[in-house]
Amino acid sequence: MTNKNIKSLLLEKGAEIVYIKGFNNTGINDILIAAGVPKGSFYHYFESKENFGIELIDHFLPRFLTSADMYLEKETTSYIQNLHDFFTDFLTFIKENNFVGGCPIANLSLEMSDLNEKIREKLKEAFELMNQKVVLFLKKAQENGELPKELDLDATAQFILNSWEGALLRMKVTKNGDPMKVFDRFIFDKLLINK
Amino acid sequence: MTNKNIKSLLLEKGAEIVYIKGFNNTGINDILIAAGVPKGSFYHYFESKENFGIELIDHFLPRFLTSADMYLEKETTSYIQNLHDFFTDFLTFIKENNFVGGCPIANLSLEMSDLNEKIREKLKEAFELMNQKVVLFLKKAQENGELPKELDLDATAQFILNSWEGALLRMKVTKNGDPMKVFDRFIFDKLLINK
């Protein structure tokens, strides 16, 4: 394998372990063993565990961003429906995982924001990128006449994204989809109504 | 000190460390040192770190429940306003802590729900107790004519609590009060309106 491939493999296997065990609770050796890479070679690929954490965020983020782009581009008569389908896709994924894991960006945020400033800055950027996607859905819906012209799109997106993260967090505890059902009902049947 | 006092001290000091560093990242010796209790005596007070985690939840929970009771009992013309004041109190506390820490129940949830079933069960109960308090605010407001009679109080409380946790999570990342401002605006100016 090339160095680039080994690095990708370490990120992929590391992501799987961190997703369940947490960042601090995951030893560098756990990752090397899972990837089948010789002990002691971690620092050949990453300057530090901090740097690994930052690259991990770039590894997790496309799950959200690429899926959002797909639903943003999907032909539709309702971009609110597309946003709904986008969130439903995540719920399906989380159900298939028996409600284990949740949102990796949120997990890292709660664990690392107070401990590492560089990781926090990166997480802040990640949330902003995620938020911009939600804004785009709302903007398309607004242009499509589905939302009031005066709606503050950025604030609405922030509220939706944070509430969604809150529902994901709660689902880790309940191990059922109820928190997302409630999210769905309040966001899509009450908030995102053109009135 | 009595055994009971030492146990309380271990919970108090342990809570402070876990609040910042996380549960897995906090060693038993860190707690003993902070409490000035002899090394090796932890298991005299707690059967296991798991049990310590469970007692920690009981240690954190009254911050929410007792404060809720205070605002539930506070004489008022508006229980929605009391609920608002209750949340504002937390925001003040979090601001004073420079947005470090957030909600200890949420932190433990994201970290431990997938790793320890007993701790998850305890966290689930904790959230339900918190939720019941929010239901009580809404019920008093409803009886007071501030909310529609047909409002589903439990679902509304779930949505509010989860969205609040989402805002707290995001504040750990932004290190400013913006996510709570947005929460405030959507919950109190849009959702909790009698129409």
Side-chain angles (χ1 to χ4, degrees):
Chain A
M1 277 202 290
T2 64
N3 273 3
K4 208 184 146 196
N5 285 347
I6 295 175
K7 195 173 172 172
S8 296
L9 185 67
L10 288 171
L11 280 168
E12 198 188 305
K13 293 292 173 189
E16 285 171 18
I17 306 173
V18 168
Y19 190 46
I20 304 304
K21 286 182 64 180
F23 186 74
N24 288 313
N25 200 27
T26 299
I28 283 168
N29 279 335
D30 300 341
I31 301 166
L32 293 169
I33 290 164
V37 171
K39 231 175 149 173
S41 65
F42 184 86
Y43 295 102
H44 186 63
Y45 303 101
F46 302 95
E47 229 176 85
S48 58
K49 200 180 172 197
E50 174 187 79
N51 272 56
F52 171 73
I54 287 167
E55 295 210 33
L56 214 48
I57 297 165
D58 282 325
H59 178 85
F60 284 128
L61 202 49
R63 289 193 197 169
F64 188 100
L65 303 183
T66 312
S67 173
D69 283 339
M70 202 187 83
Y71 280 102
L72 278 164
E73 293 309 321
K74 197 179 160 196
E75 220 172 306
T76 187
T77 54
S78 162
Y79 285 98
I80 298 291
Q81 185 61 48
N82 280 22
L83 178 63
H84 186 266
D85 293 346
F86 164 65
F87 282 133
T88 303
D89 248 17
F90 272 93
L91 182 59
T92 307
F93 169 77
I94 284 161
K95 270 185 188 164
E96 283 168 1
N97 275 315
N98 298 313
F99 302 98
V100 166
C103 171
I105 304 291
N107 300 351
L108 274 173
S109 296
L110 279 202
E111 197 183 350
M112 297 308 295
S113 293
D114 296 333
L115 298 178
N116 186 302
E117 192 57 14
K118 277 191 193 158
I119 294 180
R120 181 184 76 77
E121 279 294 341
K122 182 72 184 178
L123 288 163
K124 196 177 151 206
E125 281 169 37
F127 269 113
E128 278 159 16
L129 291 170
M130 289 156 77
N131 205 72
Q132 281 167 21
K133 296 295 178 193
V134 182
V135 168
L136 282 177
F137 278 102
L138 300 179
K139 195 161 180 282
K140 286 201 175 203
Q142 199 179 44
E143 285 165 2
N144 199 32
E146 296 177 70
L147 290 173
K149 277 196 179 66
E150 66 281 5
L151 191 72
D152 180 340
L153 299 185
D154 187 68
T156 307
Q158 303 277 0
F159 180 68
I160 293 173
L161 183 61
N162 297 346
S163 297
W164 183 67
E165 290 290 2
L168 287 171
L169 185 161
R170 187 75 178 272
M171 282 204 299
K172 282 188 74 155
V173 176
T174 63
K175 297 291 178 216
N176 65 39
D178 292 350
M180 204 50 86
K181 266 186 222 157
V182 169
F183 168 83
D184 224 72
R185 197 167 137 192
F186 282 89
I187 296 297
F188 290 98
D189 299 345
K190 287 208 171 197
L191 179 66
L192 296 180
I193 296 291
N194 193 357
K195 56 164 190 235
Chain B
M1 276 203 291
T2 64
N3 273 2
K4 209 184 145 196
N5 285 347
I6 295 175
K7 195 173 171 172
S8 296
L9 186 66
L10 288 171
L11 279 168
E12 197 189 306
K13 292 293 173 188
E16 284 172 18
I17 306 174
V18 168
Y19 190 46
I20 304 304
K21 286 182 64 181
F23 186 73
N24 288 314
N25 200 26
T26 299
I28 283 168
N29 279 335
D30 299 343
I31 302 166
L32 292 170
I33 290 165
V37 171
K39 231 175 150 174
S41 64
F42 184 85
Y43 295 103
H44 186 64
Y45 304 100
F46 302 96
E47 230 176 86
S48 58
K49 202 181 171 196
E50 175 187 77
N51 271 55
F52 171 73
I54 288 168
E55 295 209 33
L56 214 48
I57 297 165
D58 282 325
H59 179 85
F60 284 129
L61 202 49
R63 288 192 199 170
F64 188 99
L65 302 183
T66 312
S67 172
D69 283 339
M70 201 186 84
Y71 280 103
L72 278 164
E73 295 308 319
K74 198 180 159 195
E75 218 173 307
T76 186
T77 55
S78 162
Y79 285 97
I80 297 292
Q81 185 60 47
N82 280 21
L83 178 62
H84 186 267
D85 292 347
F86 165 64
F87 283 133
T88 304
D89 247 18
F90 273 93
L91 182 60
T92 306
F93 169 77
I94 284 161
K95 270 185 188 163
E96 282 168 3
N97 274 313
N98 298 312
F99 303 98
V100 166
C103 171
I105 304 291
N107 300 351
L108 273 174
S109 296
L110 278 201
E111 196 183 350
M112 296 308 294
S113 293
D114 295 336
L115 297 178
N116 187 301
E117 191 58 14
K118 277 191 194 158
I119 294 180
R120 182 185 76 77
E121 279 294 340
K122 182 74 185 177
L123 288 163
K124 196 177 151 206
E125 281 168 37
F127 269 114
E128 278 158 16
L129 290 171
M130 288 156 78
N131 205 72
Q132 281 165 22
K133 295 296 178 192
V134 182
V135 168
L136 283 178
F137 278 102
L138 300 179
K139 194 161 180 283
K140 286 199 175 203
Q142 200 179 43
E143 286 164 1
N144 200 32
E146 297 177 70
L147 290 172
K149 278 197 179 65
E150 66 281 8
L151 191 72
D152 180 340
L153 299 185
D154 187 68
T156 307
Q158 303 278 0
F159 180 69
I160 292 173
L161 183 61
N162 297 346
S163 298
W164 182 67
E165 290 291 2
L168 286 172
L169 186 161
R170 187 77 179 273
M171 284 205 297
K172 282 188 75 156
V173 175
T174 62
K175 297 291 177 215
N176 66 39
D178 292 352
M180 205 50 86
K181 266 186 222 156
V182 168
F183 166 83
D184 223 71
R185 197 167 137 193
F186 282 89
I187 297 297
F188 290 97
D189 298 346
K190 286 207 170 197
L191 179 67
L192 297 179
I193 294 291
N194 194 357
K195 57 164 187 233

